[in-house]
Amino acid sequence: MPFFTTTIHNGRLYARLGSPIAGRAADERRAVRSRLVCLDLQGREGDLLWKVESRTLGKGWEFEGSPVVDHGRLYVAMRRRNPETEVHIGCFDAATGRKIWTSAVGTAIGGSNDVNVISGLLLTLADGRLFLSTNLGAVVCVDARDG
C-alpha cells in the first residue's frame, strides 16, 4: 500500500493520490492515473471539495509528490514520458482546482522506456519562488506568480 504526504493550509487538506508510478513503461497497457484532491477540514469536515485527474491535462501526464499551497494557489510537480521525459510545474486555484498555468522545467532524452518510474518530486516555496530538483540533472527556480 503506497503512502503519500499531504499539505494542510487554511482548514483544507491537499493531497496527490493514485498510483506511485510517474512514468509508465512503453509496453505497460494499464493506464496509470494520479489525482489531486482537496478535502474540507472545517465546516464540512472531511468532504471532498474538488479533485483534478491527471488525464485531464493530456495524454501521459502524472502528478508527482505533495502539492505546495500559498496565497490561494496550489503548486505541484508533473511528469510525462512521450518518449522523452518532461517535467513541468503546475499551478492550480486552491479553492476550485482550476488550472492557472504550467511551466516546462526540464526534458531528458535517453534512458530506458522499458520500466516504470516511481518518483516523488517535491517543490519548495520561498519568497515567491518555487524550487524543484528535477532528478534530470537540473535544479530550477520559477516565479510563483506566472511560472
Side-chain angles (χ1 to χ4, degrees):
M1 172 194 297
F3 293 90
F4 301 101
T5 57
T6 60
T7 298
I8 295 175
H9 183 74
N10 289 341
R12 292 181 172 191
L13 182 142
Y14 301 90
R16 182 252 190 232
L17 301 176
S19 171
I21 298 171
R24 184 171 53 87
D27 65 348
E28 180 80 31
R29 300 195 194 294
R30 185 175 57 91
V32 175
R33 295 287 175 246
S34 59
R35 63 193 150 291
L36 297 175
V37 297
C38 174
L39 303 178
D40 186 354
L41 297 180
Q42 292 180 337
R44 297 174 15 203
E45 193 171 305
D47 282 0
L48 177 67
L49 297 178
W50 56 259
K51 72 177 175 179
V52 177
E53 299 283 344
S54 61
R55 63 182 165 79
T56 64
L57 302 174
K59 185 176 180 180
W61 284 107
E62 297 298 337
F63 296 115
E64 286 214 38
S66 300
V68 174
V69 180
D70 191 41
H71 291 94
R73 291 186 169 190
L74 176 144
Y75 306 95
V76 66
M78 301 162 34
R79 175 186 301 262
R80 164 170 81 171
R81 288 167 75 181
N82 191 28
E84 67 278 350
T85 299
E86 298 176 58
V87 175
H88 285 212
I89 295 174
C91 174
F92 297 81
D93 184 290
T96 65
R98 178 186 59 84
K99 183 176 77 171
I100 297 171
W101 55 258
T102 62
S103 180
V105 295
T107 301
I109 299 172
S112 174
N113 282 336
D114 297 334
V115 296
N116 289 331
V117 173
I118 296 177
S119 176
L121 300 180
L122 296 173
L123 289 170
T124 299
L125 176 66
D127 297 326
R129 293 183 176 92
L130 294 158
F131 299 88
L132 179 67
S133 177
T134 65
N135 81 356
L136 301 176
V139 176
V140 298
C141 173
V142 300
D143 190 299
R145 287 174 300 184
D146 57 14

